[in-house]
Structures are given as C-alpha cells and as structure tokens.
Amino acid sequence: MEFFRKLELRFGKYAVPGLMRFFTALYAAGFVIAVWNPYAYYTYLALDPALILKGQVWRLFTFLIYPPSTSILWGVLLLWVYFSIGTTLERVWGTFKFNVFMFAGVFFHILAAFILYFATGSVWPLTPSNLNLSIFLAFALTFPEMQFYLYFVIPIKAKYLAAFYCVLEAYAFITGSMVEKVTIVLSLMNLFLFLKVSGIFGRFSPKEMKRRADFRKAAGGAPERKIVNMDRAGAANAGASSGKTARHRCAVCGRTELDAPELEFRYCSKCAGDYEYCMEHLYTHTHVQ
C-alpha cells in the first residue's frame, strides 16, 4: 500500500480523468463495426500476437474495440452500465487508482495472449470480456449491497451477481484446458491486485474477522461516541433524542447509519486500531499508524 502511495505521488499527475468515457467510446465503435461487418474485428483488430510480431502493433490497442453485445438493446444497456460503474469506481477510488486498475487489465490481457502464443504456437485472440467482468466484480466488492434489476424486473444485489459470476469462472477454471486457466488467471489479475492494494484480503483473514467481531461485541453496550464532524452534529443529536444509538460511524466524515440507512461501513485492516469508514472514504482516507 505504501508503495502504491509513492507511485501515485510520482505519477498521479499523468492519470487520465474520465477514463471510462474512452473505453465506452471504443466499445461503441466496436458495436458499429460488428453491425457493419462481423468479421472485421478478428481480421484487422483482434489481439493476434503472430501478426503483432510482424508489425501490426495497432492490435495492442484495437483489441479493446469489442462490444459487450451485438444486440442493439443489450449493447446500449451494457454500454450504459459499464460507463456508470466505471465512473463510480473512479470517483470512489480516485483517478490514479482507477487508471492503474484499467491499464493493468489491458496489460495482463496482452501478456496472456503472448504467453499462450509462445507456449502453444497457436493464436488465441483474447477479447476484453474479462476486463469488463473485472470492472463489475470490483464494483460489487466496493458496493456489495447495490441493487441491479435483472431483466429490468428482478432486483438482485451486486454481491449475489458477483458470486454467481465467480462460480462460473471457478467452474471454467477447474474443468477447462490449460489455455482457459491461463486466460482466466491473467485476465483477472488486475482484480487480484485491487484486492491486495485495497486491503480486502486482510479484512477476510481469520485474525481480522475475530478482531471485528470482538469490537462489535464490546461496542454493543458502549456509549455512543461524539461525532467530530460538526456538519453531522444535528443528525447525531436527532438520533440520540429518538433513543437510537449508532452502531457504525465513519472516522472521516462522522456519518452513521442513523444519518442515512443506505450507507455501508467497513473496517480498514491497514489502520492501527478499530477505525470504520463509509464506502466514500474507505479507499481515500489516510491510514492511522
């Protein structure tokens, strides 16, 4: 985490704001190309290591011009969904971290294609489908309680959709060939890096889970702490006057579940002590050492 902070201090000024707009524009261009000529992508644009080594270096970038769907309805819907969750992640994580996440995904796709080419002697043109999956899984880990409407009707939380996709990927990894295993691992490597950098792995360790459980048990009968953020004082007083005691409070902004029931809170495994943060500040706060 400290290494990533130093990296951001040095290279953060080069981060591209609104990066998801460019990816969405590429997907939209791919949709138009697929409607015009379904074979054009694989003929001229796909990630083909053999042709790249012969000089067609544009394929290192143009392989991203691949639509999530060629159906007009689902194509437009998925473009909007990916644009929305991508821009949301950038606002929550910050521009630099989101840039690293996306470009790492692109890099690992390219790396997977070349490893498979040199290992098998065959071309396995990888599309950015797993890059899109990694975006959704990262969003689901950041906002697990967010609801999506399946077929515009059935409400389902992001964490359950993510679990479903993870089961599918795990099944494909277990039953698939070595090519599929390499593809799945490397094309989702940016997600693994995100989990490591954000400290999510640490929050699921047995030691950390026990620490949080002990803290919640001890806090059950503890008096409510004062809110440092004066902008939230009125809401805190209102909650106290109604006889309710806040169980969760963000250490940065002071908001509790009494201020807004839809707020989600998480503990930070990198902070020394029991510090809890709302999702807005979980990835942007300064760690307490």
Side-chain angles (χ1 to χ4, degrees):
M1 190 65 180
E2 184 63 30
F3 170 76
F4 190 87
R5 276 205 215 97
K6 292 179 179 178
L7 201 65
E8 183 173 5
L9 288 174
R10 186 171 182 179
F11 299 105
K13 61 183 178 181
Y14 301 112
V16 181
L19 181 63
M20 201 60 203
R21 292 198 303 266
F22 298 98
F23 277 85
T24 305
L26 290 174
Y27 295 157
F31 176 80
V32 173
I33 292 173
V35 171
W36 168 64
N37 183 351
Y39 303 103
Y41 175 81
Y42 290 100
T43 304
Y44 304 107
L45 307 173
L47 185 59
D48 187 324
L51 294 177
I52 291 172
L53 293 175
K54 291 181 180 180
Q56 297 186 17
V57 293
W58 64 81
R59 292 175 179 269
L60 293 171
F61 310 98
T62 57
F63 85 95
L64 295 170
I65 305 177
Y66 187 84
S69 173
T70 54
S71 163
I72 295 179
L73 176 61
W74 288 108
V76 172
L77 176 64
L78 289 174
L79 284 177
W80 179 80
V81 168
Y82 286 125
F83 174 76
S84 298
I85 64 178
T87 52
T88 300
L89 287 177
E90 181 177 347
R91 286 197 298 267
V92 174
W93 295 354
T95 298
F96 181 76
K97 183 179 289 187
F98 184 70
N99 271 236
V100 171
F101 177 81
M102 293 297 291
F103 288 127
V106 173
F107 169 76
F108 285 119
H109 272 69
I110 296 172
L111 181 62
F114 274 90
I115 288 177
L116 292 174
Y117 173 69
F118 289 122
T120 66
S122 301
V123 174
W124 304 87
L126 303 184
T127 67
S129 299
N130 275 343
L131 177 62
N132 297 332
L133 177 59
S134 70
I135 297 172
F136 172 74
L137 292 178
F139 181 85
L141 287 168
T142 308
F143 302 101
E145 302 299 324
M146 182 69 70
Q147 280 194 343
F148 290 83
Y149 284 88
L150 194 63
Y151 299 109
F152 307 101
V153 177
I154 306 172
I156 182 169
K157 291 184 178 181
K159 60 183 179 182
Y160 299 129
L161 277 175
F164 173 73
Y165 284 120
C166 286
V167 169
L168 291 182
E169 290 295 303
Y171 178 79
F173 180 84
I174 294 171
T175 62
S177 64
M178 184 56 64
V179 170
E180 290 177 286
K181 288 179 172 61
V182 172
T183 301
I184 290 172
V185 170
L186 285 178
S187 60
L188 292 177
M189 187 61 71
N190 62 327
L191 180 66
F192 300 149
L193 291 177
F194 156 72
L195 293 174
K196 179 64 177 177
V197 170
S198 61
I200 288 180
F201 280 146
R203 292 206 299 275
F204 288 108
S205 67
K207 181 179 179 181
E208 179 63 18
M209 293 174 69
K210 182 179 184 301
R211 184 185 70 82
R212 294 201 305 268
D214 292 342
F215 175 75
R216 285 194 294 268
K217 183 177 179 181
E224 182 179 358
R225 293 173 293 177
K226 292 182 180 180
I227 296 177
V228 177
N229 192 322
M230 297 304 293
D231 293 338
R232 304 292 175 182
N237 292 333
S241 63
S242 64
K244 296 181 180 179
T245 301
R247 300 294 301 275
H248 305 282
R249 177 173 289 109
C250 177
V252 175
C253 65
R255 287 184 293 180
T256 72
E257 74 276 14
L258 300 180
D259 301 331
E262 71 276 7
L263 283 176
E264 297 179 26
F265 298 85
R266 297 287 186 274
Y267 288 90
C268 178
S269 61
K270 300 295 183 180
C271 290
D274 297 309
Y275 289 92
E276 199 172 14
Y277 302 91
C278 67
M279 296 307 297
E280 181 182 348
H281 297 108
L282 179 61
Y283 302 105
T284 57
H285 69 273
T286 302
H287 294 292
V288 178
Q289 302 297 333

